């Protein structure tokens, strides 16, 4: 099935699907590092072809390697490993499934696809006894998938919390630093190449939610899909929020949180959620700025671990892709396979309503006596205890900021709804959750 | 060769050698997490026995599992995996080699042994087609070995720099915070259980050097042993050094550094070295305090990655051991093996003399005109350029502090020797290197 190398040894054939930023870097490195790759794999690695959408665009690869027929490339007998970097659900899903069914190992960075269809694809990989690797799908160059899946295989993970979207982290870091508002900073991010023409997937948290689904699935040995992830983006975060956060010695970050929580009946559940949250400036994630990513893992025995690095970009993401490619190729040469999907725990998904959270609520209030008592009454009615209150401004600008202690999210959001109905509350101008505190 | 489980499926038998802090935690977790381990491995994991030196000491494990004959335990037919946590070279070396030769996979945290004999042991593992895993040998719970070996398998690592010894990091963090001197802080560390009764291996950098050898071997695909590592401990670091460091916006850390450097002829070499060094307070390693560990990896495509967590302690180290044990057990059940030792690059070791370093030199000088000119002359003679000078005190207490730019370490140390011979230099009181700067 596989072509033989010059000296009779096996050659590992690789097909790359997609030649955007990451694909171009993967192709470059396979060429430049051929000798190292050969030594590390134990056999030569040969690029069999690169599938692109537009054949006429000039590319830094020999023209005869290019094809606009990915299905034909994947079907070639001399392809052992398919590297899928085209993104999107279709046709990636079908191409990967076919590749796996035909005994080819697959390396992919496609988080949107994995967040929906890891189950289907992992089953195909297991049936065909081949590898499905996807380190690059979460946090770019940072090894997170492999440490969670392998290094922590003997531990019990309680929590994974990360900054895994570079676009939103760039925007929030800039807003914190410059005081500019969301719209202006998003436009700036676009000009600098940190935000796409249509930034929805990033700023509305879809990308972070897909990554949360992937991380939660691995950490809790449970199949979690994007639909299971509670999601809120950063488009309603204001310049005022960042100023207010600073007054509480906090900053605002878009977090992907995967947590083992207890249901009302005491049973274990998985909470996976994405939202912008205040975190204390002393928290390790607070110092992660710009396009950098970081993931904090808390496990019963390991304690708190942090992984930090570049979460996006062509070369960093290609590094993760190629690490997977080398491992898949080694397995082809030496036998054996990487870990399979592990879903034995099959924990139920917790509703955000039941997850204990803390809230930061900023509201415009009437400048008169008794407002605080009224507001506090709404919290106490719902057994939500208040951790801190700040009254600011006067007259037209009178503002009240409340930070609560931990309570079920439903109770917190019911407090917010009740505040909106209070006569003395003119407007609830901002609601954010608070994370990264012990109490 | 292996006993069958109740329902005919295979059981993976584990022998634990040594029941100190880490061994006791490994035994506890194997018992408590039996169900999870079974699901993750794909077969039950059974503890066959625990080898201890003193059978009479009370232990938290059934007495009939204890033995003082590790060789007999390792030789048992129903042992598939040997977890070696006794430490030291003998008899661990012989026990591990025999285990591997008899087809048992081995998990070890024994850095001193690995820093000398990885070659011999890895060869035995490769010959017998079994696993030799040692994530816990470097930086406790922090996944570093596996990310370097696997996640970065497609990248070119340029540098690994870490704080990998908790004892010395606790001492240096305390000295920085309290202003106390080395001897008093070491005594305090002993009282708090952060330093052993004989602290030599930690404070003189032997432990950090063993870990540097292990990291360098993996990062550069070259066999590096402890003898190849330039080593200097922290026992001569003074309270004054930490005060002076702060004035340069730096702190002092014991670093294990593995670096790809160029020889005089332009060829690549590996530098592995351990010494206390000034690093800028803005460097990510500067914030790693107390008994925590962190490792920064710089690779051509991935860029800078950082791994942070607990570098020692029973439960954290046990977490790393058990991750390896699960992977070794999975391979026994499903077939396949983890990566082999990779030494194809076989780069020569660079002498510290040829490695470009920066120096911080503090000296007592005569309080008279012309001293700085004399001192500067010695540097310029050897083509070492000065980055900063600070003159402090007067009369008896006149002191000169010089920080140099990068130059071969030999030239730097020759400058120090020349300064000691200068009439106007009363005493060179402190010499430390400076790391973590770009220039």
């Amino acid at each position: 099935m596989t072509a033989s190398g010059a000296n009779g040894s096996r050659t590992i054939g690789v097909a790359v699907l997609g030649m955007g930023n990451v694909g171009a870097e993967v192709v470059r490195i396979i060429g430049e590092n051929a000798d190292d790759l050969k030594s590390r794999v134990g056999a030569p690695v040969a690029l069999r072809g690169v599938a692109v959408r537009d054949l006429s665009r000039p590319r830094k690869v020999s023209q005869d390697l290019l094809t606009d027929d990915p299905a034909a490339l994947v079907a070639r007998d001399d392809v052992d490993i398919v590297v899928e970097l085209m993104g999107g659900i279709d046709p990636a899903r079908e191409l990967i499934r076919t590749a796996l069914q035909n005994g080819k190992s697959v390396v992919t960075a496609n988080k949107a696809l994995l967040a929906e269809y890891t189950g289907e694809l992992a089953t195909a990989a297991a049936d065909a006894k081949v590898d499905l690797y996807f380190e690059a799908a979460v946090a770019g160059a940072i090894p997170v998938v492999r440490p969670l899946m392998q290094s922590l295989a003997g531990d019990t993970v309680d929590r994974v919390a990360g900054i895994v979207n570079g676009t939103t982290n760039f925007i929030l870091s800039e807003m914190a630093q410059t005081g500019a508002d969301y719209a202006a900073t998003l436009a700036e991010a676009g000009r600098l190449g940190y935000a796409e023409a249509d930034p929805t997937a990033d700023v509305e948290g879809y990308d972070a939610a897909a990554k949360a689904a992937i991380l939660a699935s691995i950490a809790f040995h449970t199949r979690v899909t994007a639909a299971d992830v509670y999601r809120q983006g950063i488009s309603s975060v204001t310049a005022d929020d960042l100023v207010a956060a600073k007054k509480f010695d906090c900053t605002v970050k878009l977090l992907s949180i995967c947590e083992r929580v207890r249901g009302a009946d005491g049973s274990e559940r998985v909470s996976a959620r994405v939202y912008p949250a205040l975190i204390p400036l002393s928290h390790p994630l607070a110092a992660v700025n710009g396009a950098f990513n970081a993931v904090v893992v808390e496990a019963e025995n390991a304690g708190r671990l942090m992984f930090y690095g570049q979460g996006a970009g062509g070369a960093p993401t290609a590094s993760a892709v190629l690490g997977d490619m080398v491992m898949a190729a080694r397995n082809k040469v030496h036998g054996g396979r990487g870990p399979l999907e592990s879903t034995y725990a099959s924990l139920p998904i917790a509703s955000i309503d039941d997850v204990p959270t803390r809230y930061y609520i900023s509201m415009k209030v009437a400048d008169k006596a008794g407002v605080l008592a009224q507001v506090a009454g709404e919290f106490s009615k719902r057994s939500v205890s208040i951790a801190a209150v700040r009254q600011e401004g006067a007259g037209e600008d009178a503002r009240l900021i409340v930070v609560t202690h931990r309570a079920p999210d439903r109770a917190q959001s019911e407090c917010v709804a009740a505040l909106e109905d209070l006569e003395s509350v003119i407007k609830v101008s901002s609601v954010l959750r608070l994370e990264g505190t012990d109490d």
Side-chain angles (χ1 to χ4, degrees), chain A:
Chain A
M1 190 179 121
T2 304
S4 283
N7 54 5
S9 79
R10 187 176 185 186
T11 292
I12 298 296
V14 175
V16 175
L17 312 185
M19 204 175 172
N21 279 343
V22 181
E25 286 296 299
V26 166
V27 167
R28 173 184 69 78
I29 300 165
I30 289 177
E32 287 179 6
N33 290 5
D35 289 346
D36 280 316
L37 293 175
K38 181 180 168 183
S39 299
R40 296 177 191 180
V41 166
V45 173
L47 186 62
R48 301 300 188 197
V50 183
V52 296
R53 224 175 300 177
D54 180 1
L55 278 174
S56 65
R57 244 176 87 182
R59 319 250 181 194
K60 286 188 177 156
V61 65
S62 159
Q63 188 69 28
D64 56 342
L65 284 172
L66 292 176
T67 172
D68 57 2
D69 186 349
L73 176 58
V74 164
R76 278 173 60 163
D77 276 350
D78 62 354
V79 166
D80 302 282
I81 297 173
V82 173
V83 175
E84 186 273 310
L85 301 167
M86 51 208 315
I89 305 294
D90 294 313
R93 177 185 174 194
E94 186 58 32
L95 289 164
I96 291 178
R97 202 178 44 199
T98 307
L100 294 167
Q101 284 166 346
N102 290 323
K104 295 155 201 303
S105 288
V106 171
V107 175
T108 175
N110 193 333
K111 50 242 165 196
L113 178 65
L114 291 161
E116 290 299 337
Y117 298 107
T118 293
E120 164 191 312
L121 302 177
T123 302
D127 288 347
K129 298 193 190 302
V130 293
D131 286 321
L132 171 67
Y133 282 127
F134 48 87
E135 182 64 73
V138 183
I142 312 170
V144 175
V145 170
R146 187 169 276 108
L148 268 179
M149 215 181 255
Q150 301 190 28
S151 307
L152 289 161
D155 208 332
T156 305
V157 176
D158 290 323
R159 198 162 194 271
V160 181
I163 294 171
V164 294
N165 180 275
T167 303
T168 50
N169 201 46
F170 174 84
I171 292 171
L172 292 173
S173 301
E174 281 290 295
M175 286 174 71
Q177 210 163 40
T178 64
D181 70 8
Y182 170 74
T185 313
L186 171 61
E188 173 75 1
R191 272 191 298 275
L192 294 170
Y194 290 118
E196 298 193 39
D198 177 359
T200 311
D202 291 317
V203 301
E204 295 305 339
Y206 291 98
D207 176 80
K211 290 163 178 169
I214 295 169
L215 291 174
S217 298
I218 301 169
F220 303 120
H221 301 270
T222 291
R223 207 170 273 169
V224 179
T225 67
D228 297 323
V229 182
Y230 174 81
R231 178 192 52 76
Q232 198 182 310
I234 65 161
S235 54
S236 58
V237 176
T238 66
D240 281 350
D241 289 336
L242 285 150
V243 172
K246 210 176 263 177
K247 288 186 187 155
F248 286 99
D249 289 321
C250 283
T251 189
V252 178
K253 296 290 184 188
L254 183 72
L255 300 182
S256 293
I257 301 171
C258 313
E259 206 172 12
R260 189 186 295 274
V261 296
R262 298 267 168 198
D265 59 351
S267 67
E268 289 193 336
R269 283 155 198 269
V270 169
S271 162
R273 51 197 206 266
V274 169
Y275 43 65
L278 270 70
I279 55 171
L281 289 170
S282 59
H283 192 279
L285 290 177
V288 177
N289 286 316
F292 279 82
N293 278 194
V295 177
V296 172
V297 177
E298 288 167 34
E300 265 176 27
N301 297 301
R304 186 194 265 182
L305 301 169
M306 180 157 120
F307 305 83
Y308 172 87
Q310 295 184 62
T317 309
S319 171
V321 167
L322 286 163
D324 280 353
M325 190 201 74
V326 168
M327 296 314 294
R330 286 182 44 83
N331 288 341
K332 289 275 179 196
V333 173
H334 297 284
R337 266 184 305 151
L340 311 166
E341 188 192 24
S342 172
T343 60
Y344 73 90
S346 286
L347 297 176
I349 305 297
S351 159
I352 182 72
D353 285 346
D354 300 326
V355 173
T357 57
R358 298 185 66 183
Y359 268 43
Y360 146 96
I361 303 159
S362 169
M363 50 204 130
K364 272 187 80 171
V365 292
D367 187 9
K368 58 179 185 186
V371 172
L372 180 55
Q374 271 194 0
V375 164
E378 296 302 327
F379 286 95
S380 109
K381 258 187 243 175
R382 294 166 183 85
S383 304
V384 175
S385 109
I386 291 177
V389 171
R390 200 178 206 103
Q391 303 205 54
E392 287 182 349
E396 291 280 291
D397 292 329
R399 214 174 143 203
L400 191 66
I401 294 172
V402 172
V403 175
T404 65
H405 279 301
R406 212 170 285 282
D409 200 81
R410 186 197 292 112
Q412 306 267 16
S413 61
E414 282 173 2
C415 290
V416 173
L419 294 175
E420 278 166 341
D421 288 342
L422 278 186
E423 207 187 326
S424 56
V425 172
I426 298 161
K427 193 189 167 200
V428 174
S429 37
S430 195
V431 179
L432 289 168
R433 292 181 183 84
L434 171 62
E435 293 284 342
T437 61
D438 288 331
D439 51 331

